[in-house]
Amino acid sequence: MTQSSFPVSAEFVAAANTTPAQYIKDYQRSIASPKANDDFWAERAELIDWIKKPTVISNVNYDLDDFRIKWFEDGELNISVNCIDRHLKDNPYKPAIIWEGDHPSLHKTLSFTELHAEVCRLGNAMRKLGVSKGDRVTLYMPMIPEAMIAMLACARIGAVHSVVFGGFSAESLGNRIIDSQSKLVITADEGVRSNKHTPLKANVDRALDMDGTQCVEKVIVVHRTGNSIPMSGRRDVWYHSVVAGESAECEPEVMNAEDPLFLLYTSGSTGKPKGVLHTTGGYITYALSTFRDAFDIKDDDVYWCSADIGWITGHTYSTYAPLANGTTTVMFEGAPDYPTWARVGHIIDKHKVSVVYTAPTAIRSMMKEGDAFVRESDRSSLRLLATVGEPINPEAWDWYYEVVGGGKCPIVDTWWQTETGGILIAPIPGTVALKPSCAMTPLYGIMPEIVDSDGEVLEGLAEGNLVIRGGWPGQMRTIYKDHERFLQTYFTEYPGYYFTGDGAQRDEDGHYWITGRVDDVLNVAGHRLGTAELESAIDSHPATVEAAVVGMPHEIRGVGIAAFVILKSGETKDEQIKEELNRHVRREIGPIANLDAIYIVDGLPKTRSGKIMRRILRSLAAGQYVGLGDLSTLADSSVINKIIEVLRAED
Ligand code: WT7
């Protein structure tokens, strides 16, 4: 914990939506009692256009005998109406989406009126293809407006979308289609990033060859690059053909507040990825309300969140929250290095972006290329910068603050998770001096606690596991088709609390510092990968016997992936097998699962009961060979020295 703090500029504070005193007063009021908490959320629900206004606010109980999570349970609404239709009266021509293509010559703006027409056409087309309320639709899309249009069209007709990140493999896509039993897949011929093409449709074809995907009746394909792709006569239809001739009006489905909105698969510490389920009324109330609070949003903001729509940030803070608020959202198809590392600055200037929300990994990769690229732009439109996904190290914070923001923009470090639906901890800008690397203060209605390993709640200055007392409208409702796993993962270890899986420290000012995952989940470049998934991908290669995966420090991605692998006897321990293993894992999971270090070893440190002691491997992968802690439970302590020999040979 560094002691330095950066007061927000007087100019920003003067124009901020919230004052320091107001934050303290409103926060205290929002958590004063269950009744006060309900009153607070009832007020925030006023920001939503309901078809039927809810009379019940929360119905949350973490008691496993009588477990329930419901918000606004008798309310009715449609999210696409909240994101689009309700802005048509006052702001019909305001840009809803500004799309910036991979190549700097490509850009497109959709006003709320245009977005409305597009969403309605696709909604109608999907209905004609037989999709109705409750059906699942998998989206495997590049960062093009059709991706947001498809999400909103699903919301309009009550279909449950499951967006699968375009960087995942055919295999990962197939598994998610099987789990969700999707009726429809929406994709594009190819994705384009840094002038490189990704064969999205070809991956869909391979995924749909997998057993269990017979549920898919149709595949809608957006024409993005026009390169030739096979289209199967009965199953595949072009996006432009199905929407052509459809009406620009589409009756929105009336949704109960607790009807599902989407599934989003994320990695856990064990087993296969889990389908995190979010519902309608609570999710949109929380998304909209936290968006206003955390980013100090004004009507004329041009807001750019760089997250891919395949992640929760791309759902909540690229799509639903800004649009529900009537804020212009910028969507960028490409990468920060194309055509040069000056691209981010050029996009800010070109579209007069005022708020930027991105990940520390992206900041570190730009920082490494030097300041000159950023200084090609003037960035005078910027007023606020934000980060998400992993702790931001002080060097990257300083660089973001001084070089990108020119020392005038507060940096909002937002902590949250796929499961939480929206931000839980972040400084409300203008209300508190900022500490680099610190997520700071809880948002309204949120009650973080730090517990020790026995579940004892720690007061004041503390370090331990981060749990949340009580519920909030944006929280996940279940793991799709696996409610048992949901209860087991989040509500069993620390009874009565939601367990985040993160460690945290609370400093003398009551501010929260996230120290990282305390489970077997790696946070690589702000994306989650389970060690179990990575290990089973390595194990599935015919040359391997067993593998153990741990995180290791990585200069750009924060956390890198280190694999300790035992090969079958007779296999050659050379560079070639390592490359082959890496290719294999990338093919199984996707290019994000890149093994940064592979160590071929003869044995793994295991307890007598056969459990891999990852703690030891983590220290070794970080180059720490002494002070490995208690080794008395190891079945065979001689493996440690042998692994150290392998590591030394690699240095
Ligand atoms: C995990 C959730 C929430 C959208 C992006 C990631 C880590 C997230 C921060 C932050 C330190 C952070 C946590 C969390 N994390 N934000 N500001 N500071 N760590 O969503 O894939 O669900 O991952 O990301 O470890 O548990 P996700």
Side-chain angles (χ1 to χ4, degrees), residues 161-208:
H161 59 71
S162 163
V163 183
V164 178
F165 173 53
F168 278 127
S169 65
E171 174 92 16
S172 300
L173 170 65
N175 288 333
R176 287 158 171 78
I177 291 173
I178 294 167
D179 190 75
S180 64
Q181 286 295 294
S182 290
K183 200 170 191 176
L184 174 75
V185 175
I186 307 182
T187 189
D189 47 7
E190 296 180 308
V192 188
R193 228 174 152 251
S194 286
N195 206 22
K196 286 195 279 289
H197 293 201
T198 316
L200 296 176
K201 172 60 165 60
N203 286 349
V204 170
D205 290 343
R206 278 175 46 215
L208 294 186

Side-chain angles (χ1 to χ4, degrees), residues 176-365:
R176 287 158 171 78
I177 291 173
I178 294 167
D179 190 75
S180 64
Q181 286 295 294
S182 290
K183 200 170 191 176
L184 174 75
V185 175
I186 307 182
T187 189
D189 47 7
E190 296 180 308
V192 188
R193 228 174 152 251
S194 286
N195 206 22
K196 286 195 279 289
H197 293 201
T198 316
L200 296 176
K201 172 60 165 60
N203 286 349
V204 170
D205 290 343
R206 278 175 46 215
L208 294 186
D209 280 341
M210 286 164 66
D211 224 14
T213 57
Q214 290 82 349
C215 48
V216 175
E217 294 171 10
K218 290 282 173 198
V219 177
I220 297 182
V221 186
V222 178
H223 184 284
R224 167 63 186 86
T225 64
N227 285 336
S228 107
I229 47 156
M231 292 286 280
S232 108
R234 267 163 198 263
R235 192 194 64 195
D236 303 342
V237 290
W238 286 105
Y239 182 99
H240 55 266
S241 311
V242 292
V243 298
E246 286 300 335
S247 158
E249 295 296 332
C250 170
E251 190 59 28
E253 199 72 35
V254 176
M255 303 298 284
N256 176 268
E258 281 300 333
D259 282 335
L261 174 66
F262 65 83
L263 293 176
L264 184 58
Y265 287 87
T266 189
S267 296
S269 49
T270 55
K272 55 183 183 119
K274 43 198 181 189
V276 170
L277 182 101
H278 283 287
T279 59
T280 302
Y283 174 80
I284 198 66
T285 303
Y286 197 72
L288 171 46
S289 153
T290 53
F291 176 71
R292 286 196 184 181
D293 293 334
F295 304 130
D296 188 59
I297 290 295
K298 322 277 189 209
D299 285 345
D300 57 356
D301 271 323
V302 174
Y303 163 87
W304 176 22
C305 167
S306 72
D308 190 281
I309 39 104
W311 310 110
I312 189 69
T313 312
H315 283 58
T316 306
Y317 296 111
S318 299
T319 308
Y320 287 114
L323 294 175
N325 197 51
T327 303
T328 301
T329 184
V330 175
M331 181 186 213
F332 176 39
E333 182 182 39
D337 65 345
Y338 180 76
T340 73
W341 283 98
R343 187 71 188 276
V344 167
H346 287 317
I347 293 174
I348 292 168
D349 284 2
K350 178 172 168 184
H351 300 297
K352 303 273 171 288
V353 172
S354 54
V355 177
V356 168
Y357 190 26
T358 193
T361 290
I363 297 164
R364 286 191 294 264
S365 60

